[in-house]
Amino acid sequence: MRRIRIGVPAELWRAFLFGSRARGEGRPDSDLDVLLVFHALPPDREPQAGIAEWIADEVAEDTGVPVTVWSVSRIDLERGNRTPMLVDSLDDGVPLWPPDAPPVAIDYTPDDALFCAAALLDRVEEGSAEVEEAWDAGEPQVAARRIRDDLVRMCTAMLLLDGITRPRRSEAVAAFAARHAPPREMAPVLRWAAASFGPGGRDGDGPVPPPPGGLAAAASAVEALRWRVAARGRELREALDLQR
């Protein structure tokens, strides 16, 4: 914290330990995850976030303890800007600085869900071009990975619109399938996406096998889920507007 406060050109508001170490679930090789909340940062959080990461790398080299930092600003804590990871991190968070600061808890609201779902829809909209480029370049593994990740994004978006923030990766796919009864023809693709994260369900970097029915079937599932997410988002927005 001393190095961060001296070296990063932004005023630090709070710092928290989060993740597996904060929950008491860390392994001997687990990183120390530190959330840095600054009073204000530029929209891209740079150069402050990059400097904080450089300092964390220095500390890790000096101590032999791996440290990962995540930099946000106070505006990210406001309703309509909150991500599920931020809400969950603060829920787990152990205050580090100031030393006597109380925990901070924020709710994940429908406005936050709409904000995050819209961001995921935008990210998935970019995917078709990336998949086509990878296919044309003779990189089916890259194309399959992007389609897999877009499926997970859409399953996650549907859960967020339900107010559910915790499932990640394969767990998000399974939770979506359990809650939303997807069409029978989509089931093999969803099982493929979930299984591609390995036995533990969290290995996002391992090889991704070809999807059942080929890339076209998986891409069709992504488009179907995009439609469902967009429709659910409109319904939620209309309900919120009526309440207001």
Side-chain angles (χ1 to χ4, degrees), residues 2 6 93 95 115 123 144 146 171 180 189 237 242:
R2 182 172 62 252
I6 293 172
F115 164 71
R123 184 76 178 94
R146 179 58 200 256
E171 294 175 355
H180 288 280
V189 174
R237 175 67 69 190
L242 286 174

Side-chain angles (χ1 to χ4, degrees), residues 190-203:
L190 292 176
R191 286 195 297 269
W192 159 78
S196 70
F197 288 100
R202 293 182 177 273
D203 181 9

Side-chain angles (χ1 to χ4, degrees), residues 8-235:
V8 177
E11 185 180 357
L12 186 65
W13 178 65
R14 293 282 194 277
F16 304 88
L17 177 70
F18 73 100
S20 61
R21 293 284 194 181
R23 295 192 301 271
E25 301 170 355
R27 302 186 307 270
D29 61 343
S30 295
D31 288 4
L32 288 173
D33 297 305
V34 179
L35 173 64
L36 304 172
V37 185
F38 295 92
H39 280 278
L41 292 175
D44 63 357
R45 302 174 183 171
E46 294 297 345
Q48 289 84 350
I51 295 171
E53 291 169 6
W54 177 71
I55 292 171
D57 289 342
E58 274 196 328
V59 171
E61 185 174 346
D62 292 345
T63 64
V65 179
V67 181
T68 300
V69 294
W70 178 26
S71 300
V72 302
S73 61
R74 293 186 67 180
I75 195 171
D76 295 313
L77 276 62
E78 295 180 2
R79 183 186 181 108
N81 296 332
R82 303 164 185 166
T83 65
M85 183 175 174
L86 181 57
V87 172
D88 293 345
S89 297
L90 288 171
D91 187 44
D92 295 338
V94 176
L96 296 177
W97 191 89
D100 57 351
V104 174
I106 54 177
D107 294 327
Y108 190 75
T109 70
D111 291 298
D112 302 316
L114 288 167
F115 164 71
C116 293
L120 289 169
L121 281 168
D122 288 344
R123 184 76 178 94
V124 170
E125 188 174 2
E126 302 166 357
S128 58
E130 184 174 321
V131 169
E132 184 175 351
E133 289 172 6
W135 181 257
D136 290 343
E139 298 176 328
Q141 173 71 205
V142 174
R145 183 182 301 278
R146 179 58 200 256
I147 289 177
R148 186 275 309 272
D149 291 346
D150 284 345
L151 278 168
V152 174
R153 290 183 179 104
M154 290 297 88
C155 291
T156 300
M158 284 294 288
L159 295 174
L160 295 179
L161 292 170
D162 291 341
I164 300 172
T165 63
R166 283 284 182 178
R168 302 284 191 268
R169 298 183 176 177
S170 67
E171 294 175 355
V173 177
F176 164 78
R179 288 181 63 86
H180 288 280
R184 183 177 300 176
E185 61 271 18
M186 195 182 292
V189 174
L190 292 176
R191 286 195 297 269
W192 159 78
S196 70
F197 288 100
R202 293 182 177 273
D203 181 9
D205 299 324
V208 178
L215 292 176
S220 177
V222 171
E223 289 303 307
L225 289 178
R226 279 183 62 194
W227 183 88
R228 291 184 68 167
V229 169
R232 177 73 181 95
R234 288 192 298 269
E235 291 173 0

